[in-house]
Amino acid sequence: MSSISAQGVVERASAELSKRINGLGLRSKHHHSSSSGGSSGGAGGGDSTSPAGATPTPAASSGKTSVMERVTNALCGGGNSNSNSGSNSSNSTSSSPAAAAPPPASNANPPQTPDKPSRGSSPSSPGGLSMTGGQSQIQNSTHHLLQQQQQQQQHLQLQQSQQQHLQLQASTLINSNHHVMVGPSPPTGMPLGAPPTPTVKSIAKQMNITIPGGGGVNPGSPTFSTMGMVAAQKAAASAGGTPLQLRKQLPNPHLHHPYGNMGVVGQSPLILQQQQLHPPPIHSIEQLMLDDRFLSRFFQYFSPYERRVLAQVCVKWRDTLYRSPRYWSGLLPTLQCRELRQMPGCDRGKLYNSLIRRGFHALGLVGASDEDALDVVHSFPLASKHVHSLSLRCSSISDRGLETLLDHLQSLFELELAGCNEVTEAGLWACLTPRIVSLSLADCINIADEAVGAVAQLLPSLYEFSLQAYHVTDAALGYFSPKQSHSLSILRLQSCWELTNHGIVNIVHSLPHLTVLSLSGCSKLTDDGVELIAENLQKLRALDLSWCPRITDASLEYIACDLNQLEELTLDRCVHITDIGVGYISTMLSLTALFLRWCSQVRDFGLQHLCSMRNLQVLSLAGCPLLTSSGLSSLIQLRHLQELELTNCPGASHELFDYLKEHLPRCLIIE
């Protein structure tokens, strides 16, 4: 560098420093906002203007400041000195990307000189340029602003981490299948993926209902206040931050807000919208327990069977539960007719109407008589259109009462008669209607071959037929005609002791499209009958041969060779099945459920074959006496297993159960 150019640099540096010192405190807000506006948004909530008498922070300063610092460092050697001004400048330039940026092209400065090593603290520089008080004041104020900015950033990061921790807790409560678990581990015995035990506080937190401690109506009692989405947005906006940070702090409406995926049934959209914008305040636990939004989420943590008791707590809970049919799905309302007779007629009418309110389309009557059937006709007129399924159990109803009841239920298409000993075959011929598609007859002593003939002739659209009758013979199965060949898909013949292989011949020729067949308890069935089934009913997906003591390994060979679509096989109490038959079954790739309860000849060698069934999801080995702990431990190879039953297995120990639970965490093990 020539002496002329060096002298020019010194003159320009002296002039610039003089301008800055003389102009200290005379800068306008507009000047500060224009010089710092480009980077204040990225400072994590920093102010866009500086107070009077303070210079912008190095992260927000212009390129001239950087040039002046480099010139001073080159001429004075103060860039890395131990003085206050030097240390402040060094820290700011190392932590701010804006200070390390190159100067604008418009500056007519010479090429930059590399920073020199520190030469110790000195009040004056070798070049004759002393550090004036104005420059020290500028750098001190800059250091003060940097400290404030770092404190604000740390406070904002702490708030964000706390908010993310709360959101993770709420999402763990809602999304029970997530692997991330926050808080205490679930109790022993709880299946993997089950939600943690809900509490009033956790549910309220999930719905953005805050429960602060103390300060309630009564001293020392908890207070409750609701916060909807609008209130949450306002609260988050008041905390400051960029729009992106605000969006991160807001709760996910699809996961946390009660209006995201549910609403109160029976209210107009306008009312729901008003409740969303202005949720009512909650000041006590009593108000919380009567809040519709809270109850709609609270009742989801109970089974339909448990909700029966909850509906008896108070009128509010009853009305909330009765309002939505989804709370009662999977339940069959069963009425004890002996208790119904003791109720006043108006109360019986209210009871029947409550079934409609809850969305029930099924009705079960226990101990019904002809008088009870007439009472249903008169007290329950809505049953004509709303009842689709009827179950009569242990009833003394006669053919006349059954006919009266079925004439009233014009929408009925599913009928079950269990233990109705007064119903005869003539009654079935009189009351069965073609709209019935599902029929179950069990333990009715007057039901025999003629009843099967009535079913075959009067129900052309029959889809499912279950029969448990001890006196049905092979001749009854000859009544099935081509009318049911395409409609009948499910056939269950349970404990039909008189059926033989000849009856199987009638089944496979008349009903070739069966997908589910149960011959449980048909003790006269042999391997030849199973061979007929395997050769002719190749659409079977479920086969039940339990309690058929004459079946051997040969039957399992027929099944494994021909039934390629079979998914479920039940062989309970087939005492002649050995490891050889289990080896045949292990070749069935489509099989997902296998039941071998009380198969007394299955050993550990057969379990080695089962370990090759990678698609097996349900396995029952209950009561198999020859299985040992060593053989059962090999079942950990079945990684897709979801349910394993090992009750009454002498070889199963507590150590084995712990070992299986450790290696099959997603499997329900029934001890």
Side-chain angles (χ1 to χ4, degrees):
M1 179 183 298
S2 63
S3 60
I4 299 177
S5 60
Q7 183 178 2
V9 170
V10 172
E11 291 176 356
R12 282 194 294 270
S14 301
E16 184 65 21
L17 287 175
S18 300
K19 289 181 181 180
R20 288 181 176 269
I21 295 172
N22 295 331
L24 189 65
L26 301 179
R27 301 173 185 266
S28 63
K29 293 185 178 180
H30 176 73
H31 175 74
H32 287 292
S33 61
S34 62
S35 62
S36 62
S39 59
S40 62
D47 296 334
S48 60
T49 59
S50 302
T55 58
T57 61
S61 61
S62 63
K64 292 183 178 181
T65 304
S66 301
V67 172
M68 288 304 305
E69 290 176 354
R70 284 193 290 271
V71 170
T72 305
N73 293 336
L75 298 180
C76 305
N80 296 325
S81 66
N82 294 330
S83 63
N84 293 335
S85 62
S87 61
N88 292 341
S89 176
S90 174
N91 293 335
S92 63
T93 53
S94 62
S95 62
S96 174
S106 60
N107 294 338
N109 295 330
Q112 301 178 4
T113 305
D115 297 340
K116 294 183 179 181
S118 175
R119 291 182 289 188
S121 60
S122 175
S124 62
S125 61
L129 285 176
S130 62
M131 300 294 294
T132 61
Q135 186 173 359
S136 302
Q137 182 181 2
I138 293 174
Q139 293 179 349
N140 290 333
S141 60
T142 300
H143 179 66
H144 179 67
L145 288 178
L146 275 175
Q147 291 181 347
Q148 291 182 351
Q149 178 182 356
Q150 292 177 356
Q151 292 177 358
Q152 291 178 357
Q153 289 180 352
Q154 293 177 357
H155 181 67
L156 181 60
Q157 291 177 357
L158 180 60
Q159 288 182 347
Q160 291 179 353
S161 62
Q162 292 177 353
Q163 184 71 19
Q164 292 176 357
H165 180 71
L166 294 177
Q167 291 181 359
L168 184 58
Q169 285 183 333
S171 63
T172 306
L173 179 62
I174 299 173
N175 301 327
S176 59
N177 291 329
H178 285 184
H179 297 288
V180 180
M181 299 296 295
V182 178
S185 59
T188 305
M190 179 179 295
L192 185 67
T197 304
T199 61
V200 173
K201 183 176 294 186
S202 64
I203 300 174
K205 182 186 297 184
Q206 179 181 345
M207 300 174 60
N208 291 331
I209 299 178
T210 58
I211 308 179
V217 179
N218 298 324
S221 63
T223 58
F224 304 89
S225 61
T226 59
M227 178 186 294
M229 283 298 296
V230 177
Q233 292 175 357
K234 291 181 179 179
S238 63
T242 63
L244 179 59
Q245 294 169 347
L246 293 179
R247 286 195 294 270
K248 290 182 179 180
Q249 293 175 359
L250 286 177
N252 190 336
H254 300 289
L255 293 180
H256 302 277
H257 195 59
Y259 307 118
N261 55 1
M262 66 193 317
V264 180
V265 181
Q267 295 186 2
S268 63
L270 181 59
I271 297 178
L272 290 177
Q273 185 178 5
Q274 293 177 355
Q275 290 183 354
Q276 294 177 15
L277 297 178
H278 305 287
I282 296 177
H283 303 287
S284 65
I285 189 66
E286 290 80 8
Q287 294 181 6
L288 180 66
M289 287 300 177
L290 297 178
D291 182 66
D292 288 330
R293 300 172 300 116
F294 174 79
L295 291 178
S296 62
R297 184 65 61 86
F298 177 71
F299 290 144
Q300 290 183 354
Y301 292 93
F302 299 90
S303 65
Y305 190 80
E306 294 170 335
R307 294 180 188 128
R308 301 178 307 111
V309 182
L310 297 178
Q312 304 176 26
V313 172
C314 62
V315 177
K316 178 65 176 181
W317 285 27
R318 182 198 65 188
D319 294 340
T320 303
L321 287 171
Y322 282 14
R323 193 177 295 146
S324 178
R326 62 188 173 90
Y327 289 132
W328 309 100
S329 60
L331 287 183
L332 172 65
T334 303
L335 307 179
Q336 299 288 340
C337 293
R338 182 175 60 181
E339 299 177 1
L340 286 177
R341 299 187 195 106
Q342 301 175 0
M343 296 174 59
C346 59
D347 292 341
R348 290 199 299 270
K350 293 180 180 179
L351 177 61
Y352 292 138
N353 291 332
S354 70
L355 301 180
I356 303 301
R357 290 176 58 189
R358 282 178 278 182
F360 285 122
H361 295 285
L363 178 63
L365 299 176
V366 178
S369 62
D370 291 347
E371 291 77 11
D372 298 323
L374 293 175
D375 181 72
V376 171
V377 173
H378 292 94
S379 303
F380 197 7
L382 296 177
S384 175
K385 296 182 179 180
H386 291 85
V387 174
H388 302 158
S389 176
L390 175 64
S391 175
L392 297 175
R393 301 175 183 176
C394 303
S395 300
S396 60
I397 192 170
S398 63
D399 296 340
R400 182 177 179 181
L402 181 62
E403 183 178 0
T404 302
L405 194 57
L406 295 186
D407 288 342
H408 175 63
L409 304 177
Q410 293 297 316
S411 300
L412 188 71
F413 57 82
E414 184 175 347
L415 177 63
E416 178 188 4
L417 300 177
C420 300
N421 294 329
E422 300 298 327
V423 177
T424 64
E425 296 171 340
L428 294 180
W429 278 100
C431 66
L432 291 181
T433 59
R435 64 175 177 269
I436 294 179
V437 298
S438 177
L439 178 63
S440 177
L441 303 174
D443 292 332
C444 300
I445 60 176
N446 293 319
I447 300 299
D449 294 350
E450 288 297 326
V452 179
V455 171
Q457 296 296 324
L458 299 176
L459 305 179
S461 302
L462 190 64
Y463 174 79
E464 179 180 359
F465 180 46
S466 299
L467 177 64
Q468 181 181 353
Y470 307 113
H471 306 294
V472 172
T473 64
D474 296 334
L477 301 180
Y479 288 111
F480 286 108
S481 63
K483 293 181 179 180
Q484 291 87 18
S485 62
H486 293 282
S487 61
L488 190 60
S489 180
I490 302 174
L491 178 63
R492 297 185 178 93
L493 302 175
Q494 300 175 347
S495 299
C496 297
W497 297 338
E498 302 298 328
L499 288 183
T500 65
N501 295 335
H502 296 287
I504 302 299
V505 174
N506 296 332
I507 292 177
V508 299
H509 289 305
S510 302
L511 306 171
H513 301 289
L514 289 177
T515 59
V516 177
L517 177 62
S518 175
L519 298 173
S520 176
C522 298
S523 56
K524 294 184 178 181
L525 182 66
T526 65
D527 294 337
D528 295 336
V530 177
E531 184 179 8
L532 289 172
I533 294 172
E535 291 178 352
N536 297 277
L537 302 179
Q538 298 187 3
K539 295 182 180 180
L540 283 179
R541 295 184 178 274
L543 178 62
D544 186 356
L545 298 176
S546 59
W547 295 86
C548 295
R550 301 187 182 185
I551 289 179
T552 65
D553 295 335
S555 296
L556 303 187
E557 182 180 6
Y558 302 141
I559 293 173
C561 291
D562 297 327
L563 298 181
N564 297 323
Q565 300 183 24
L566 196 66
E567 299 176 359
E568 180 179 332
L569 179 60
T570 305
L571 300 171
D572 299 343
R573 290 283 184 176
C574 295
V575 295
H576 294 294
I577 290 178
T578 66
D579 295 341
I580 298 176
V582 176
Y584 293 139
I585 297 174
S586 64
T587 62
M588 304 179 65
L589 301 179
S590 61
L591 203 64
T592 59
L594 177 61
F595 301 93
L596 297 172
R597 302 184 185 98
W598 299 99
C599 293
S600 56
Q601 296 193 36
V602 176
R603 300 175 180 269
D604 293 344
F605 184 71
L607 296 184
Q608 297 297 326
H609 294 297
L610 295 181
C611 292
S612 63
M613 304 178 66
R614 302 304 182 186
N615 296 326
L616 197 62
Q617 299 179 6
V618 179
L619 176 62
S620 177
L621 299 171
C624 296
L626 301 181
L627 299 179
T628 65
S629 178
S630 176
L632 292 173
S633 62
S634 63
L635 296 178
I636 62 173
Q637 302 177 43
L638 300 175
R639 295 299 181 182
H640 296 283
L641 206 61
Q642 298 179 2
E643 181 177 332
L644 176 62
E645 184 181 8
L646 297 177
T647 56
N648 297 315
C649 288
S653 60
H654 294 290
E655 293 78 8
L656 174 66
F657 290 131
D658 295 339
Y659 179 77
L660 293 176
K661 291 177 182 178
E662 179 183 357
H663 291 81
L664 298 174
R666 294 175 179 165
C667 178
L668 174 63
I669 300 177
I670 304 175
E671 304 179 11

